[in-house]
Amino acid sequence: MSKEIVVIGSGLAGMSCAAYLGKAGHRVTVIEKNFTYGGRLQTVSEQGFTFDSGPSWYWMPDIFDSFFADFDKKTNDYYDLTRIDPGYRVYFGEQDHFDLVENLDELKRNFSKLEQGGGKALQRYLDDAGEKYEVAVKKFMYKPSLSPLEYIHFDLIKRLGRLNLFRPISRHIRQHFDNQKIIQMLEFPSLLLGAKPSETPALYSIMNYADIVLGTWYPSGGIRSVANAIYEVAKSQGVNFSFNQPVNKISINTNKATEVVTNKSSYHADIVVANADYNHVEQTMLPKFYRNYSKSYWEKRTMSPSALLFYVALNKKLDISHHTLFFDSDFNKHAKEIYDGPKWPSEPLFYTSCASKTDPKVAPDNGEALFILIPVAPNLVDNEQTRKSYFQQVISRMELLINQDIKDHIVFSKSYAHRDFISDYNSFQGNAYGLANTLFQTAFLKPKIKNNKINNLYYTGQLTVPGPGMPPALVSGKIVADQIDIEIK
Ligand SMILES: Cc1cc2nc3c(=O)[nH]c(=O)nc-3n(C[C@H](O)[C@H](O)[C@H](O)COP(=O)(O)OP(=O)(O)OC[C@H]3O[C@@H](n4cnc5c(N)ncnc54)[C@H](O)[C@@H]3O)c2cc1C
């Protein structure tokens, strides 16, 4: 039953899928357009500074552990994890910040200082989120979502009503809390997941559970270590990789994909798995008749935000947490500028990661490697001047809020936004992390993992189930490999 399988793209989902397929005894080749594996998990290195260019939050360590366990490995065979404490600091204004500390009793006491009974409310909220996490991870996350019937399951239906998974998370949070700061802190992962809290189902309070209870972690060597680890696992299962080869065509013969054609070569395939951006694969590699979704389908989707990123090398130490959220401006206004009337935001919220606080190797002594992320609408015109003006704005706000000089200590800075996402990853509208997790883009309502007409073409990655993020990307690879296994038997 051994098949020749070609995977297009070496993001986490593509490599995860390839590893499982290799383990099942197939001959697997991953073809990647860029010079190296890892998709959005790259680094920017210069003058002794190293920045992870994409993800910075290592959440849901259980999902990574279970991936490695499937290959009889442990996470610490590849990298060590350090829990970051506080998980993050949130600035609401000058001299006004809150730390999400690891110790739950202390955190509850601090919630009670913000709101009477806040500590008890937090415990109730987390108990509920913990149950949702169990339902989501054990019952939802690993489903191929080819049909809604997969979700009809007695235990699940029994719990669905009680858990109110589908009401808006904004309402769910407000049923537990009144304090605006608490509400903003609990709503922030929704924005990170790419949707307005009023449109994100309460199911995603699992992210609050992941963040507060399971913790925020840092892998030794940085997030790039995760890509290195998955690559090593795939190689250990006999997977071959070809780099610097953009795929431009999937050849089809009577409803079967037969060949994957790149700029340099062509590869015979019994089965093809596309990990590259779903829209890009369908619009550029397949004739119209064979596409699952039309151009207008994609144009009507709610994409997650894109991101304007800055990698800033500093020649001084900052008194700052590893992860910091700057919530000194209007959250709702910023969300509207992303989703309702997409435009460059007037005064955006932003986020910084200063990995050199945990990992001295990523910056010279007395220096810091500072990463800044501003969530912005996808599909905006992105130019140098716009980037520069946001850089000045956020650095000035940061200086004020943390009360430290930054401007005069910049060794160099680099920026990254829409046009880079498009040229590096063929990302639809320059999105950073796929589709927004709105109710109507969840589970079986997401783009399908299988082509409707080509019966040996599958899709994996952040634009299909289970969704955006590193843990879902690993799971997406497994779902597709399992589905192939079922279908070829
Ligand atoms: C700025 C940013 C911050 C993020 N923060 C976090 C975070 O903190 N925590 C978290 O868990 N997740 C985070 N994410 C999300 C996470 O990185 C992604 O959801 C995940 O890495 C997606 O993996 P993927 O395999 O689906 O796609 P990708 O990583 O996009 O991989 C697809 C691959 O296909 C390749 N490809 C494209 N076109 C072609 C072609 N024609 N031929 C061959 N190959 C092609 C691409 O080069 C790429 O290597 C973040 C993402 C970004 C961008």
Side-chain angles (χ1 to χ4, degrees):
M1 293 297 271
S2 170
K3 303 277 183 195
E4 194 91 40
I5 303 183
V6 175
V7 178
I8 304 170
S10 67
L12 285 200
M15 293 198 291
S16 156
C17 190
Y20 284 107
L21 293 168
K23 185 181 172 194
H26 303 296
R27 287 156 288 141
V28 187
T29 303
V30 177
I31 304 175
E32 167 59 49
K33 87 181 252 295
N34 293 333
F35 74 96
T36 183
Y37 52 83
R40 292 168 205 238
L41 280 70
Q42 302 300 322
T43 51
V44 173
S45 286
E46 209 173 296
Q47 299 179 46
F49 295 86
T50 304
F51 304 85
D52 278 309
S53 65
S56 48
W57 301 86
Y58 189 102
W59 278 354
M60 304 169 87
D62 50 329
I63 304 286
F64 296 86
D65 294 347
S66 113
F67 172 83
F68 293 120
D70 284 343
F71 298 91
D72 298 322
K73 291 286 184 188
K74 294 197 188 68
T75 302
N76 64 13
D77 290 331
Y78 300 97
Y79 48 83
D80 295 320
L81 287 173
T82 307
R83 184 161 175 171
I84 299 174
D85 188 20
Y88 49 95
R89 169 170 283 190
V90 189
Y91 279 94
F92 296 102
E94 286 173 66
Q95 317 291 327
D96 184 8
H97 59 75
F98 189 90
D99 286 342
L100 242 286
V101 291
E102 176 186 339
N103 183 306
L104 194 52
D105 289 330
E106 189 185 337
L107 186 65
K108 285 196 276 184
R109 281 195 296 278
N110 294 342
F111 265 54
S112 293
K113 285 181 199 155
L114 291 176
E115 168 173 338
Q116 200 183 9
K120 283 199 178 123
L122 177 63
Q123 188 61 63
R124 281 194 299 276
Y125 183 82
L126 291 176
D127 289 344
D128 173 84
E131 204 180 333
K132 286 188 171 78
Y133 188 87
E134 200 201 295
V135 168
V137 171
K138 298 215 176 110
K139 316 254 181 220
F140 279 171
M141 205 168 171
Y142 288 84
K143 291 203 181 292
S145 298
L146 290 165
S147 151
L149 298 177
E150 292 165 33
Y151 292 82
I152 298 183
H153 182 290
F154 179 66
D155 179 45
L156 195 55
I157 292 170
K158 205 171 63 183
R159 293 212 238 172
L160 278 185
R162 184 161 48 81
L163 287 174
N164 283 313
L165 294 177
F166 302 123
R167 77 170 163 211
I169 196 167
S170 51
R171 190 140 63 86
H172 178 63
I173 293 172
R174 282 167 181 77
Q175 277 176 341
H176 290 78
F177 304 98
D178 294 319
N179 180 278
Q180 271 312 312
K181 289 179 181 168
I182 296 181
I183 290 171
Q184 267 193 314
M185 284 189 284
L186 296 175
E187 284 186 343
F188 124 78
S190 311
L191 202 69
L192 206 78
L193 282 163
K196 282 199 303 190
S198 56
E199 276 156 32
T200 303
L203 159 70
Y204 290 107
S205 68
I206 63 169
M207 298 313 291
N208 299 127
Y209 180 79
D211 147 24
I212 297 171
V213 179
L214 303 179
T216 297
W217 300 80
Y218 181 80
S220 53
I223 297 283
R224 178 68 185 166
S225 303
V226 177
N228 295 341
I230 313 301
Y231 175 70
E232 267 189 54
V233 171
K235 292 284 282 179
S236 73
Q237 303 305 313
V239 173
N240 291 309
F241 284 80
S242 291
F243 297 111
N244 292 314
Q245 286 198 52
V247 172
N248 42 45
K249 184 177 168 193
I250 300 171
S251 306
I252 298 149
N253 189 350
T254 51
N255 297 353
K256 277 200 84 173
T258 52
E259 217 178 33
V260 169
V261 183
T262 74
N263 60 339
K264 289 188 189 144
S265 187
S266 58
Y267 296 78
H268 166 262
D270 298 318
I271 293 172
V272 176
V273 178
N275 165 231
D277 182 282
Y278 204 126
N279 168 73
H280 162 73
V281 169
E282 293 220 323
Q283 302 298 319
T284 67
M285 299 178 202
L286 294 178
K288 202 168 180 184
F289 174 76
Y290 289 106
R291 296 172 195 160
N292 271 359
Y293 304 101
S294 63
K295 242 178 161 174
S296 74
Y297 167 89
W298 286 104
E299 274 151 17
K300 286 187 202 128
R301 295 306 91 192
T302 309
M303 300 311 291
S304 75
S306 185
L308 171 55
L309 307 170
F310 297 104
Y311 312 106
V312 192
L314 297 176
N315 62 10
K316 75 177 278 194
K317 283 279 164 208
L318 287 183
D319 181 13
I320 193 172
S321 298
H322 184 134
H323 295 291
T324 311
L325 306 172
F326 292 87
F327 278 9
D328 55 317
S329 57
D330 186 343
F331 187 99
N332 293 323
K333 187 169 172 218
H334 187 187
K336 278 187 191 148
E337 288 165 337
I338 296 175
Y339 299 105
D340 297 347
K343 58 177 172 195
W344 284 99
S346 36
E347 218 184 334
L349 313 178
F350 62 100
Y351 149 71
T352 63
S353 170
C354 190
S356 43
K357 286 287 152 215
T358 307
D359 183 352
K361 291 200 191 106
V362 301
D365 293 346
N366 287 320
E368 303 280 21
L370 183 71
F371 164 98
I372 303 176
L373 185 153
I374 308 176
V376 291
N379 211 18
L380 297 178
V381 177
D382 148 39
N383 59 41
E384 276 317 305
Q385 185 137 9
T386 310
R387 293 184 186 195
K388 257 190 205 144
S389 84
Y390 280 99
F391 186 63
Q392 279 155 8
Q393 183 191 141
V394 292
I395 294 289
S396 300
R397 273 166 60 193
M398 246 185 111
E399 284 186 323
L400 198 69
L401 291 165
I402 67 171
N403 195 20
Q404 292 163 67
D405 289 340
I406 299 176
K407 271 192 200 92
D408 297 337
H409 298 275
I410 298 174
V411 182
F412 67 86
S413 72
K414 289 180 180 291
S415 63
Y416 194 99
H418 305 74
R419 54 191 151 92
D420 303 299
F421 284 115
I422 295 169
S423 70
D424 287 348
Y425 306 116
N426 289 315
S427 165
F428 177 61
Q429 297 184 343
N431 79 80
Y433 25 86
L435 284 174
N437 280 336
T438 60
L439 179 56
F440 295 106
Q441 296 185 162
T442 291
F444 53 86
L445 300 173
K446 277 195 195 288
K448 294 276 177 276
I449 61 166
K450 187 149 191 225
N451 188 284
N452 294 329
K453 297 194 180 107
I454 307 168
N455 57 25
N456 60 346
L457 173 60
Y458 300 81
Y459 304 85
T460 187
Q462 62 178 7
L463 284 160
T464 179
V465 285
M470 297 186 288
L474 292 181
V475 172
S476 181
K478 179 173 166 52
I479 290 172
V480 171
D482 287 349
Q483 189 63 27
I484 291 173
D485 192 45
I486 292 168
E487 292 186 11
I488 62 174
K489 270 186 183 147

Tab-separated table of all heavy atoms in Angstrom, residues 177-218:
chain	number	residue	atom	x	y	z
A	177	PHE	N	-17.686	38.969	34.459
A	177	PHE	CA	-16.929	40.142	34.933
A	177	PHE	C	-17.552	41.458	34.442
A	177	PHE	O	-18.133	41.493	33.350
A	177	PHE	CB	-15.485	40.095	34.394
A	177	PHE	CG	-14.746	38.835	34.753
A	177	PHE	CD1	-14.648	37.787	33.838
A	177	PHE	CD2	-14.159	38.680	36.000
A	177	PHE	CE1	-13.975	36.611	34.159
A	177	PHE	CE2	-13.483	37.511	36.329
A	177	PHE	CZ	-13.389	36.471	35.401
A	178	ASP	N	-17.327	42.534	35.254
A	178	ASP	CA	-17.758	43.875	34.843
A	178	ASP	C	-16.571	44.769	34.547
A	178	ASP	O	-16.667	45.723	33.794
A	178	ASP	CB	-18.538	44.569	35.984
A	178	ASP	CG	-19.838	43.848	36.255
A	178	ASP	OD1	-20.485	43.441	35.277
A	178	ASP	OD2	-20.166	43.674	37.453
A	179	ASN	N	-15.429	44.450	35.179
A	179	ASN	CA	-14.285	45.351	35.082
A	179	ASN	C	-13.710	45.373	33.659
A	179	ASN	O	-13.402	44.324	33.093
A	179	ASN	CB	-13.218	44.888	36.089
A	179	ASN	CG	-12.004	45.775	36.040
A	179	ASN	OD1	-11.143	45.615	35.182
A	179	ASN	ND2	-11.946	46.720	36.951
A	180	GLN	N	-13.563	46.581	33.112
A	180	GLN	CA	-13.129	46.726	31.717
A	180	GLN	C	-11.728	46.155	31.463
A	180	GLN	O	-11.455	45.595	30.405
A	180	GLN	CB	-13.140	48.205	31.313
A	180	GLN	CG	-14.472	48.681	30.757
A	180	GLN	CD	-15.053	47.749	29.693
A	180	GLN	OE1	-14.370	47.340	28.760
A	180	GLN	NE2	-16.311	47.382	29.854
A	181	LYS	N	-10.855	46.285	32.461
A	181	LYS	CA	-9.480	45.785	32.262
A	181	LYS	C	-9.501	44.261	32.170
A	181	LYS	O	-8.828	43.666	31.319
A	181	LYS	CB	-8.579	46.227	33.413
A	181	LYS	CG	-8.290	47.708	33.370
A	181	LYS	CD	-7.411	48.128	34.520
A	181	LYS	CE	-7.185	49.632	34.440
A	181	LYS	NZ	-6.594	50.166	35.654
A	182	ILE	N	-10.271	43.644	33.057
A	182	ILE	CA	-10.357	42.177	33.018
A	182	ILE	C	-10.964	41.747	31.677
A	182	ILE	O	-10.476	40.833	31.020
A	182	ILE	CB	-11.215	41.638	34.192
A	182	ILE	CG1	-10.537	41.965	35.525
A	182	ILE	CG2	-11.456	40.139	34.040
A	182	ILE	CD1	-11.261	41.459	36.754
A	183	ILE	N	-12.017	42.441	31.284
A	183	ILE	CA	-12.686	42.078	30.024
A	183	ILE	C	-11.694	42.167	28.862
A	183	ILE	O	-11.577	41.249	28.051
A	183	ILE	CB	-13.926	42.990	29.786
A	183	ILE	CG1	-15.004	42.626	30.814
A	183	ILE	CG2	-14.458	42.856	28.370
A	183	ILE	CD1	-16.192	43.561	30.856
A	184	GLN	N	-10.924	43.245	28.829
A	184	GLN	CA	-9.955	43.406	27.737
A	184	GLN	C	-8.898	42.301	27.753
A	184	GLN	O	-8.526	41.779	26.711
A	184	GLN	CB	-9.249	44.747	27.876
A	184	GLN	CG	-9.922	45.846	27.088
A	184	GLN	CD	-9.017	47.049	27.006
A	184	GLN	OE1	-8.449	47.462	27.993
A	184	GLN	NE2	-8.876	47.617	25.832
A	185	MET	N	-8.441	41.974	28.977
A	185	MET	CA	-7.391	40.932	29.061
A	185	MET	C	-7.921	39.596	28.564
A	185	MET	O	-7.222	38.854	27.889
A	185	MET	CB	-6.878	40.797	30.497
A	185	MET	CG	-5.948	41.919	30.878
A	185	MET	SD	-5.148	41.615	32.445
A	185	MET	CE	-6.443	41.960	33.597
A	186	LEU	N	-9.187	39.301	28.908
A	186	LEU	CA	-9.720	38.001	28.497
A	186	LEU	C	-10.129	37.999	27.028
A	186	LEU	O	-10.185	36.942	26.397
A	186	LEU	CB	-10.898	37.598	29.395
A	186	LEU	CG	-10.530	37.364	30.871
A	186	LEU	CD1	-11.768	37.083	31.701
A	186	LEU	CD2	-9.537	36.210	31.032
A	187	GLU	N	-10.407	39.197	26.499
A	187	GLU	CA	-10.783	39.253	25.084
A	187	GLU	C	-9.569	39.248	24.153
A	187	GLU	O	-9.698	38.967	22.971
A	187	GLU	CB	-11.633	40.497	24.803
A	187	GLU	CG	-13.060	40.342	25.287
A	187	GLU	CD	-13.980	41.503	24.885
A	187	GLU	OE1	-13.461	42.575	24.502
A	187	GLU	OE2	-15.186	41.343	24.964
A	188	PHE	N	-8.391	39.554	24.716
A	188	PHE	CA	-7.243	39.727	23.829
A	188	PHE	C	-6.914	38.491	22.982
A	188	PHE	O	-6.626	38.608	21.792
A	188	PHE	CB	-6.018	40.250	24.605
A	188	PHE	CG	-4.789	39.413	24.487
A	188	PHE	CD1	-3.993	39.482	23.342
A	188	PHE	CD2	-4.430	38.521	25.481
A	188	PHE	CE1	-2.874	38.675	23.222
A	188	PHE	CE2	-3.317	37.714	25.359
A	188	PHE	CZ	-2.536	37.782	24.220
A	189	PRO	N	-7.011	37.242	23.518
A	189	PRO	CA	-6.676	36.119	22.633
A	189	PRO	C	-7.606	36.021	21.421
A	189	PRO	O	-7.213	35.528	20.375
A	189	PRO	CB	-6.810	34.881	23.527
A	189	PRO	CG	-6.664	35.398	24.910
A	189	PRO	CD	-7.275	36.773	24.876
A	190	SER	N	-8.858	36.519	21.544
A	190	SER	CA	-9.765	36.483	20.382
A	190	SER	C	-9.188	37.323	19.266
A	190	SER	O	-9.202	36.931	18.097
A	190	SER	CB	-11.134	37.076	20.687
A	190	SER	OG	-11.627	36.564	21.839
A	191	LEU	N	-8.697	38.494	19.657
A	191	LEU	CA	-8.124	39.382	18.644
A	191	LEU	C	-6.909	38.696	18.019
A	191	LEU	O	-6.694	38.746	16.811
A	191	LEU	CB	-7.716	40.706	19.296
A	191	LEU	CG	-7.607	41.894	18.359
A	191	LEU	CD1	-8.974	42.314	17.847
A	191	LEU	CD2	-6.956	43.078	19.050
A	192	LEU	N	-6.169	37.995	18.854
A	192	LEU	CA	-5.004	37.251	18.368
A	192	LEU	C	-5.455	36.129	17.432
A	192	LEU	O	-4.788	35.792	16.466
A	192	LEU	CB	-4.286	36.644	19.579
A	192	LEU	CG	-2.812	36.357	19.447
A	192	LEU	CD1	-2.016	37.639	19.593
A	192	LEU	CD2	-2.378	35.397	20.549
A	193	LEU	N	-6.627	35.535	17.754
A	193	LEU	CA	-7.165	34.465	16.917
A	193	LEU	C	-7.804	35.021	15.661
A	193	LEU	O	-8.219	34.282	14.780
A	193	LEU	CB	-8.244	33.696	17.675
A	193	LEU	CG	-7.740	32.697	18.687
A	193	LEU	CD1	-8.842	32.319	19.652
A	193	LEU	CD2	-7.230	31.466	17.983
A	194	GLY	N	-7.925	36.321	15.621
A	194	GLY	CA	-8.348	36.923	14.385
A	194	GLY	C	-9.819	37.177	14.224
A	194	GLY	O	-10.347	36.993	13.142
A	195	ALA	N	-10.517	37.593	15.278
A	195	ALA	CA	-11.904	38.022	15.065
A	195	ALA	C	-12.320	38.934	16.207
A	195	ALA	O	-11.714	38.920	17.270
A	195	ALA	CB	-12.829	36.823	15.005
A	196	LYS	N	-13.400	39.703	15.939
A	196	LYS	CA	-13.906	40.554	17.010
A	196	LYS	C	-14.507	39.652	18.081
A	196	LYS	O	-15.181	38.661	17.742
A	196	LYS	CB	-15.007	41.469	16.454
A	196	LYS	CG	-14.453	42.624	15.693
A	196	LYS	CD	-15.463	43.735	15.539
A	196	LYS	CE	-16.738	43.271	14.861
A	196	LYS	NZ	-17.633	44.355	14.497
A	197	PRO	N	-14.310	39.970	19.356
A	197	PRO	CA	-14.869	39.116	20.417
A	197	PRO	C	-16.383	38.910	20.260
A	197	PRO	O	-16.901	37.855	20.596
A	197	PRO	CB	-14.537	39.881	21.693
A	197	PRO	CG	-13.345	40.718	21.327
A	197	PRO	CD	-13.485	41.060	19.884
A	198	SER	N	-17.085	39.902	19.698
A	198	SER	CA	-18.538	39.743	19.537
A	198	SER	C	-18.859	38.697	18.480
A	198	SER	O	-19.982	38.234	18.372
A	198	SER	CB	-19.168	41.078	19.153
A	198	SER	OG	-18.530	41.562	17.995
A	199	GLU	N	-17.882	38.331	17.661
A	199	GLU	CA	-18.137	37.331	16.624
A	199	GLU	C	-17.384	36.026	16.856
A	199	GLU	O	-17.427	35.109	16.036
A	199	GLU	CB	-17.780	37.911	15.248
A	199	GLU	CG	-18.944	38.707	14.715
A	199	GLU	CD	-18.573	39.760	13.721
A	199	GLU	OE1	-17.596	39.539	12.987
A	199	GLU	OE2	-19.263	40.801	13.690
A	200	THR	N	-16.644	35.964	17.950
A	200	THR	CA	-15.896	34.749	18.256
A	200	THR	C	-16.723	33.893	19.211
A	200	THR	O	-17.196	34.401	20.231
A	200	THR	CB	-14.568	35.126	18.960
A	200	THR	OG1	-13.858	36.000	18.104
A	200	THR	CG2	-13.722	33.912	19.284
A	201	PRO	N	-16.955	32.621	18.893
A	201	PRO	CA	-17.737	31.808	19.830
A	201	PRO	C	-17.015	31.599	21.158
A	201	PRO	O	-15.783	31.557	21.209
A	201	PRO	CB	-17.923	30.479	19.089
A	201	PRO	CG	-17.086	30.520	17.883
A	201	PRO	CD	-16.555	31.902	17.680
A	202	ALA	N	-17.840	31.437	22.222
A	202	ALA	CA	-17.284	31.267	23.577
A	202	ALA	C	-16.398	30.030	23.671
A	202	ALA	O	-15.582	29.924	24.583
A	202	ALA	CB	-18.419	31.192	24.588
A	203	LEU	N	-16.554	29.111	22.713
A	203	LEU	CA	-15.660	27.954	22.644
A	203	LEU	C	-14.204	28.383	22.813
A	203	LEU	O	-13.391	27.699	23.444
A	203	LEU	CB	-15.846	27.278	21.265
A	203	LEU	CG	-14.750	26.390	20.727
A	203	LEU	CD1	-14.690	25.103	21.542
A	203	LEU	CD2	-14.996	26.038	19.267
A	204	TYR	N	-13.879	29.561	22.235
A	204	TYR	CA	-12.471	29.977	22.232
A	204	TYR	C	-12.004	30.565	23.573
A	204	TYR	O	-10.877	31.034	23.675
A	204	TYR	CB	-12.195	30.922	21.058
A	204	TYR	CG	-12.258	30.175	19.737
A	204	TYR	CD1	-13.319	30.345	18.859
A	204	TYR	CD2	-11.281	29.246	19.407
A	204	TYR	CE1	-13.405	29.622	17.673
A	204	TYR	CE2	-11.360	28.515	18.225
A	204	TYR	CZ	-12.417	28.712	17.366
A	204	TYR	OH	-12.486	27.984	16.192
A	205	SER	N	-12.869	30.484	24.596
A	205	SER	CA	-12.335	30.798	25.941
A	205	SER	C	-11.305	29.732	26.312
A	205	SER	O	-10.582	29.866	27.293
A	205	SER	CB	-13.443	30.894	26.990
A	205	SER	OG	-14.011	29.625	27.206
A	206	ILE	N	-11.233	28.665	25.512
A	206	ILE	CA	-10.165	27.670	25.702
A	206	ILE	C	-8.796	28.343	25.618
A	206	ILE	O	-7.836	27.870	26.201
A	206	ILE	CB	-10.221	26.502	24.687
A	206	ILE	CG1	-10.012	26.990	23.255
A	206	ILE	CG2	-11.511	25.729	24.830
A	206	ILE	CD1	-9.799	25.868	22.253
A	207	MET	N	-8.735	29.471	24.891
A	207	MET	CA	-7.451	30.153	24.782
A	207	MET	C	-7.095	30.820	26.108
A	207	MET	O	-5.922	30.935	26.454
A	207	MET	CB	-7.451	31.187	23.647
A	207	MET	CG	-7.688	30.602	22.272
A	207	MET	SD	-6.676	29.146	21.937
A	207	MET	CE	-5.064	29.872	21.820
A	208	ASN	N	-8.118	31.269	26.870
A	208	ASN	CA	-7.841	31.822	28.206
A	208	ASN	C	-7.346	30.713	29.122
A	208	ASN	O	-6.460	30.930	29.947
A	208	ASN	CB	-9.098	32.455	28.816
A	208	ASN	CG	-9.645	33.607	27.991
A	208	ASN	OD1	-10.815	33.627	27.632
A	208	ASN	ND2	-8.800	34.569	27.663
A	209	TYR	N	-7.934	29.525	28.963
A	209	TYR	CA	-7.485	28.382	29.772
A	209	TYR	C	-6.041	28.041	29.400
A	209	TYR	O	-5.175	27.844	30.265
A	209	TYR	CB	-8.413	27.191	29.522
A	209	TYR	CG	-8.040	25.970	30.313
A	209	TYR	CD1	-8.391	25.855	31.663
A	209	TYR	CD2	-7.330	24.923	29.727
A	209	TYR	CE1	-8.042	24.737	32.395
A	209	TYR	CE2	-6.973	23.801	30.452
A	209	TYR	CZ	-7.332	23.715	31.790
A	209	TYR	OH	-6.975	22.610	32.512
A	210	ALA	N	-5.779	28.024	28.085
A	210	ALA	CA	-4.425	27.694	27.618
A	210	ALA	C	-3.425	28.702	28.173
A	210	ALA	O	-2.355	28.336	28.665
A	210	ALA	CB	-4.393	27.700	26.094
A	211	ASP	N	-3.809	29.949	28.131
A	211	ASP	CA	-2.912	31.025	28.516
A	211	ASP	C	-2.723	31.069	30.041
A	211	ASP	O	-1.593	30.993	30.546
A	211	ASP	CB	-3.552	32.283	27.902
A	211	ASP	CG	-3.405	33.569	28.642
A	211	ASP	OD1	-2.480	33.684	29.411
A	211	ASP	OD2	-4.217	34.489	28.393
A	212	ILE	N	-3.831	31.076	30.794
A	212	ILE	CA	-3.723	31.301	32.244
A	212	ILE	C	-3.357	30.008	32.986
A	212	ILE	O	-2.518	30.019	33.879
A	212	ILE	CB	-5.042	31.895	32.791
A	212	ILE	CG1	-5.297	33.259	32.152
A	212	ILE	CG2	-5.004	32.017	34.317
A	212	ILE	CD1	-6.650	33.866	32.421
A	213	VAL	N	-3.970	28.895	32.608
A	213	VAL	CA	-3.743	27.658	33.378
A	213	VAL	C	-2.563	26.866	32.811
A	213	VAL	O	-1.652	26.466	33.541
A	213	VAL	CB	-5.026	26.789	33.405
A	213	VAL	CG1	-4.785	25.493	34.170
A	213	VAL	CG2	-6.173	27.574	34.045
A	214	LEU	N	-2.574	26.644	31.501
A	214	LEU	CA	-1.495	25.809	30.921
A	214	LEU	C	-0.200	26.590	30.736
A	214	LEU	O	0.878	26.007	30.659
A	214	LEU	CB	-1.933	25.191	29.591
A	214	LEU	CG	-3.206	24.327	29.645
A	214	LEU	CD1	-3.547	23.796	28.267
A	214	LEU	CD2	-3.048	23.180	30.631
A	215	GLY	N	-0.313	27.907	30.616
A	215	GLY	CA	0.880	28.747	30.648
A	215	GLY	C	1.470	29.118	29.299
A	215	GLY	O	1.181	28.514	28.263
A	216	THR	N	2.311	30.148	29.357
A	216	THR	CA	3.045	30.628	28.187
A	216	THR	C	4.483	30.143	28.350
A	216	THR	O	5.101	30.370	29.395
A	216	THR	CB	2.996	32.170	28.127
A	216	THR	OG1	1.639	32.575	27.973
A	216	THR	CG2	3.813	32.710	26.977
A	217	TRP	N	5.016	29.496	27.340
A	217	TRP	CA	6.319	28.839	27.436
A	217	TRP	C	7.282	29.383	26.389
A	217	TRP	O	6.860	29.979	25.396
A	217	TRP	CB	6.144	27.322	27.234
A	217	TRP	CG	5.246	26.709	28.264
A	217	TRP	CD1	3.865	26.731	28.261
A	217	TRP	CD2	5.626	26.027	29.463
A	217	TRP	NE1	3.387	26.097	29.376
A	217	TRP	CE2	4.437	25.647	30.134
A	217	TRP	CE3	6.852	25.678	30.034
A	217	TRP	CZ2	4.443	24.948	31.338
A	217	TRP	CZ3	6.857	24.982	31.235
A	217	TRP	CH2	5.669	24.634	31.884
A	218	TYR	N	8.556	29.120	26.634
A	218	TYR	CA	9.583	29.529	25.659
A	218	TYR	C	10.485	28.325	25.389
A	218	TYR	O	11.065	27.757	26.321
A	218	TYR	CB	10.409	30.696	26.216
A	218	TYR	CG	11.463	31.183	25.247
A	218	TYR	CD1	11.131	32.037	24.202
A	218	TYR	CD2	12.798	30.772	25.369
A	218	TYR	CE1	12.090	32.477	23.301
A	218	TYR	CE2	13.764	31.207	24.472
A	218	TYR	CZ	13.408	32.058	23.431
A	218	TYR	OH	14.358	32.485	22.543
